[in-house]
Structures are given as structure tokens and as C-alpha cells.
Amino acid sequence: MIEKFKLPTREMNGAILVLIGAILFSAKAVVVKLTYQFPLGAVTSLFFRMLFAFPFLVWIAYREEKKEGATRIERKEWISVISMGIVGYYLASLFDFVGLQYITAGLERIILFVYPTLVVVLSFFFLKTKIHFKEIFSLLLTYTGVGIAYSQDLKVGETKDVTLGAFFILLSALTYAIYLMGSGKMIPRLGAKRYTAYALAISSLVVFLHFALFGRYEELIQPFEFYILAFFMGTVNTVLPAIFVSEGIERVGSKAAAIIGSVGPMSTLFLAYWFLGETITFFHIIGTVFVLSGVFLIGNQKKPKQIAT
């Protein structure tokens, strides 16, 4: 009897952390859509997300920097961290927030989740990596699933808006894929949590600069309910899942974390249904299954290093 009530193992704890982190990351799209109920644009919503996340990110980076055994970051490495922070989080987040103005949260997560397949395509064109039949089949499966989900959104939205939104989300996935390729050597050296904290903090500074130059200052004044949502988005949907996923990966490994993290697109569909009233059709489910299946096949050959934010 005692054996049945053992405390969870290290691996179980890791799986739970990754699961919670993936759901919280995915819920971000729903919260972003909720902020658009207020009179503001994508840049302002993103500004508030990073504003509330920034102090925690600086604290995490400082704590990781002071850990015993932390490697010193060289000048060339700082250039890599800064550039990848701009590409992987500033641009990816900006495109994501802009795209969410036009499409549903469910479709956003489905398209965003194709980033591992984009890594394969980019590797083929720029690193001359061979693409095998299994990977070609994975790509066909994944983008067929995206096409199915996209066709369903066309039935409830304007064709121009859905297409524009899907284009921006695809750009977000593309820039995140570039970030993963460019971060491949740095993450093992610095550690996922330390590297992610620096990259997100740097992207926050770029977002602040973007808003200072092009933002609408009148949009800073919002009802109190908005600030609650923005704080939730910056902490619960950004900082907490980044910590949970990093801790989880250390316990279960990147491949297992990627499999567990695949709950993200499906959880977004249901969260969007509950909180935004978005429709879930049979074909949305089929499209999601196609995408997940294609990404799984890719993941069996390449180890994803992080889960899309």
C-alpha cells in the first residue's frame, strides 16, 4: 500500500511542469485577444506584456548569472544573444500580436506550432541539410493540417483578414525557427533558463524602444481590468511558463518536453472556446491532429530545444 502513495518522481515533476508551462504559454493567445476588447493596438498590448515581465526576467538572468559554475559570456556571444533576442522574441512576438488582430486564437496556435518544420526547411536551403522522405511526408501532413484549419476560419471571417493574420503568424513561426537555429550552440553553453531570460529581457528593451518611437501614448490609459489582464499576460503567460518549461526540460529532456508541449494547440482551441466564444469544428480538430502528427515525425529526428511562446 505504501508503494502506491510514493511522492512523484523527478521525471513526473518535470512532466507536470512542462504540461503546465505549455498550457500557460498557449493561453497567451487567448489573453491577447481579450486585451483587444479594449481600445488599443498590437504594439501597446505587446508593450504592456513585456513591461510587466521585464523585472522578473532581469531577476532570473541575475540569479542565473550568479550561480556557481556559470560560464562567462564573451563579446561575440553577446552579439549572438542580442541578435537572437531581437529575432526570436521581439520580431516573433510582434508578428504574433499583429496576426492575432485578424485571426482566431485557435488558428494562431496551430500555425505557430509548425516552427519545427520551418527549421527543417531553413536547414535545407541554408545549411544544405538533406531532406528525407519521412521529413517530406511530415511537411505535407503538417501544412495540410494548417490548410484544413485555415479553411474553417475562412467560413467565419473575412478572407482578406484571415489571410493577412495567417501570414503574420507564419512570419512569427519563421522568426522563431531562425531563433532556434541561431541559438543551437548557445543554449547548451549558457543553459536554457539563463539564455531565455537574457533573450526575453533584450526583446523587452527593443519593444520599449519601438513603443517610444511609434506607439500611441493615449493607449496607455486603459480601464483597470486591462492592467490585470496585461499583468497576467506578462507573468503567468510569459515568465512562469518560461521557468516551468526550462525546469521541466532539465528533468525529462527536450524530446519528451516537446511531446508533452504538443498539448498547446489543443488547449488553445478549448480555452478560446470557453473564454472567447470561438467555434471548434470537427475539421479544426482534424487539422490540429494533422499538424501535431507532422511535428511529431519531425521531432523524432530533430530534438526541439524549446516550446514556442
Side-chain angles (χ1 to χ4, degrees):
M1 288 291 291
I2 295 177
E3 291 293 322
K4 294 182 179 180
F5 295 97
K6 278 186 175 180
L7 290 173
T9 63
R10 174 181 171 84
E11 290 74 18
M12 180 60 73
N13 284 332
I16 292 171
L17 285 172
V18 173
L19 178 64
I20 296 173
I23 293 173
L24 292 179
F25 267 142
S26 299
K28 178 212 68 183
V30 176
V31 179
V32 173
K33 295 289 284 186
L34 288 173
T35 66
Y36 289 157
Q37 297 176 358
F38 298 90
L40 51 74
V43 174
T44 306
S45 183
L46 178 58
F47 169 79
F48 276 106
R49 178 202 186 192
M50 305 318 296
L51 180 67
F52 286 116
F54 185 69
F56 298 98
L57 296 170
V58 172
W59 174 74
I60 294 171
Y62 176 80
R63 191 185 65 172
E64 293 297 310
E65 193 70 39
K66 294 300 180 181
K67 274 188 176 180
E68 186 177 350
T71 56
R72 182 175 179 270
I73 305 177
E74 304 294 337
R75 181 178 297 179
K76 289 183 179 179
E77 293 174 329
W78 271 117
I79 295 174
S80 176
V81 173
I82 292 171
S83 60
M84 287 300 101
I86 293 172
V87 172
Y89 284 113
Y90 162 66
L91 285 179
S93 296
L94 181 62
F95 292 146
D96 185 36
F97 274 60
V98 172
L100 278 167
Q101 293 180 118
Y102 302 102
I103 64 173
T104 62
L107 180 59
E108 178 262 6
R109 186 53 45 169
I110 292 172
I111 297 175
L112 196 60
F113 205 73
V114 307
Y115 69 90
T117 67
L118 293 174
V119 172
V120 172
V121 174
L122 290 172
S123 297
F124 171 75
F125 283 108
F126 297 103
L127 302 180
K128 307 304 179 183
T129 304
K130 291 183 179 179
I131 296 184
H132 302 286
F133 174 78
K134 183 179 180 181
E135 292 171 320
I136 294 174
F137 179 72
S138 301
L139 293 172
L140 290 174
L141 199 61
T142 300
Y143 292 102
T144 298
V146 171
I148 293 171
Y150 170 76
S151 66
Q152 294 304 295
D153 274 47
L154 285 178
K155 295 179 180 180
V156 296
E158 294 290 335
T159 300
K160 180 181 177 181
D161 288 347
V162 176
T163 302
L164 183 62
F167 171 73
F168 275 111
I169 302 303
L170 189 60
L171 281 180
S172 178
L174 177 62
T175 49
Y176 189 72
I178 294 172
Y179 162 79
L180 288 181
M181 292 181 64
S183 305
K185 294 181 180 179
M186 293 293 295
I187 291 176
R189 174 170 154 74
L190 301 183
K193 193 188 303 182
R194 184 183 177 199
Y195 186 86
T196 302
Y198 272 124
L200 276 169
I202 289 165
S203 73
S204 299
L205 294 175
V206 181
V207 169
F208 299 157
L209 178 61
H210 184 146
F211 184 83
L213 295 175
F214 305 107
R216 299 176 180 177
Y217 290 90
E218 65 273 14
E219 293 182 351
L220 293 175
I221 308 301
Q222 298 291 338
F224 180 72
E225 293 81 0
F226 166 80
Y227 301 115
I228 297 296
L229 279 175
F231 179 79
F232 190 90
M233 179 169 55
T235 55
V236 178
N237 296 133
T238 304
V239 178
L240 275 183
I243 295 173
F244 286 175
V245 171
S246 295
E247 292 286 348
I249 288 175
E250 290 181 4
R251 290 166 170 80
V252 301
S254 60
K255 181 172 287 189
I259 294 172
I260 297 167
S262 64
V263 71
M266 199 65 73
S267 68
T268 302
L269 284 176
F270 288 102
L271 288 171
Y273 170 77
W274 288 325
F275 292 101
L276 301 174
E278 293 183 3
T279 303
I280 302 178
T281 68
F282 171 75
F283 289 102
H284 277 117
I285 304 296
I286 293 297
T288 303
V289 171
F290 271 50
V291 170
L292 294 181
S293 300
V295 171
F296 276 152
L297 289 175
I298 292 289
N300 284 333
Q301 300 194 178
K302 293 184 175 290
K303 290 185 178 181
K305 297 176 177 64
Q306 296 187 48
I307 295 172
T309 61

